[in-house]
Amino acid sequence: GQQVMQIPQYQHVQEGEDFTTYCNSSTTLSNIQWYKQRPGGHPVFLIQLVKSGEVKKQKRLTFQFGEAKKNSSLHITATQTTDVGTYFCAGREGSTLGRLYFGRGTQLTVWP
Amino acid sequence: DADVTQTPRNRITKTGKRIMLECSQTKGHDRMYWYRQDPGLGLRLIYYSFDVKDINKGEISDGYSVSRQAQAKFSLSLESAIPNQTALYFCATSDPLAGGDTDTQYFGPGTRLTVL
């Protein structure tokens, strides 16, 4: 069945350093979404990527969707303490109306 | 989002007890989901419903059942709770036809369940 693998599971960085989390699927995805969960909170939608090779930016966050639509990455430039949390990717295969498959998440810790 | 509410927010129960977790939404979405979250395991789908008459098993449905009482309500039951069902449970909603075809999932605040 569909699997979405996400690495690393944990990442500890000093404030100002960059951070990247990677997502890989065993099958071609129709789209991929990214969510952020703050400590003690619930996942919140960040962005969706649909097109092969798509790159989107939100301030210091850069999201990429691979050419084969099997992998994706989230890169944060110059992390801040407000970036702390767990970042999840979630892929959808086949129809855009199908269910999402969540990766296990990357827990980011940022120390001052 | 405040539009998705879960009750109770915290629950401690004993092995063998029947437990119901409730989810209500005011977003008018047809799709509703139940996930459980365990440290290091991310979000795992228990059940999902694409409309009131539709119920589907997710990855880890054993030991759980659901009821979709109305568009706005989706409840999760543990018929006979066991300790390894101790977890954080999230309800979520989505609407694939709402704005840009993203089918964004909106999560409730979660219910922390402890089974002793």
Side-chain angles (χ1 to χ4, degrees):
Chain A
Q2 169 65 15
Q3 280 195 332
V4 175
M5 311 300 291
Q6 189 174 355
I7 58 170
Q9 186 174 349
Y10 303 98
Q11 188 77 55
H12 308 278
V13 300
Q14 189 165 20
E15 191 172 20
E17 293 181 339
D18 293 355
F19 158 77
T20 305
T21 173
Y22 301 90
C23 208
N24 290 285
S25 169
S26 55
T27 60
T28 302
L29 301 171
S30 58
N31 57 54
I32 194 160
Q33 298 183 346
W34 286 91
Y35 291 77
K36 176 183 179 180
Q37 181 180 21
R38 295 182 185 275
H42 58 273
V44 175
F45 174 80
L46 292 177
I47 207 161
Q48 174 171 286
L49 305 171
V50 179
K51 299 176 183 177
S52 171
E54 188 170 15
V55 178
K56 288 188 176 180
K57 292 190 175 184
Q58 289 180 349
K59 297 182 180 178
R60 293 176 295 103
L61 279 61
T62 301
F63 304 84
Q64 294 188 347
F65 201 10
E67 294 290 340
K69 300 183 74 173
K70 288 187 174 183
N71 57 75
S72 182
S73 64
L74 159 58
H75 179 81
I76 302 179
T77 303
T79 55
Q80 299 176 358
T81 54
T82 53
D83 295 324
V84 165
T86 301
Y87 293 84
F88 293 98
C89 61
R92 180 177 282 119
E93 65 175 1
S95 165
T96 56
L97 300 182
R99 53 160 288 201
L100 285 174
Y101 292 84
F102 279 85
R104 292 189 174 188
T106 296
Q107 186 175 320
L108 173 64
T109 304
V110 181
W111 72 82
Chain B
D1 290 31
D3 301 321
V4 184
T5 58
Q6 293 183 234
T7 56
R9 294 294 310 279
N10 290 281
R11 182 71 184 268
I12 300 174
T13 190
K14 294 182 178 179
T15 297
K17 294 291 187 180
R18 185 177 187 275
I19 295 296
M20 180 180 287
L21 309 183
E22 300 193 4
C23 178
S24 293
Q25 53 114 345
T26 58
K27 300 186 78 67
H29 290 172
D30 284 330
R31 296 185 170 192
M32 298 187 74
Y33 311 79
W34 275 105
Y35 292 91
R36 69 175 276 177
Q37 185 174 34
D38 301 273
L41 295 180
L43 293 161
R44 293 186 291 167
L45 184 63
I46 307 172
Y47 271 95
Y48 62 105
S49 169
F50 279 1
D51 64 44
V52 175
K53 297 180 181 179
D54 175 74
I55 301 288
N56 303 281
K57 292 183 177 181
E59 306 157 56
I60 53 164
S61 58
D62 288 349
Y64 302 94
S65 63
V66 291
S67 174
R68 185 80 185 266
Q69 302 95 321
Q71 186 200 41
K73 296 185 182 296
F74 193 36
S75 58
L76 176 71
S77 294
L78 288 66
E79 297 302 325
S80 180
I82 55 177
N84 76 1
Q85 290 178 313
T86 293
L88 182 57
Y89 290 84
F90 285 106
C91 173
T93 75
S94 74
D95 180 359
L97 301 180
D101 191 31
T102 60
D103 198 26
T104 301
Q105 302 220 343
Y106 296 88
F107 286 81
T111 294
R112 187 165 296 280
L113 176 66
T114 302
V115 184
L116 302 176

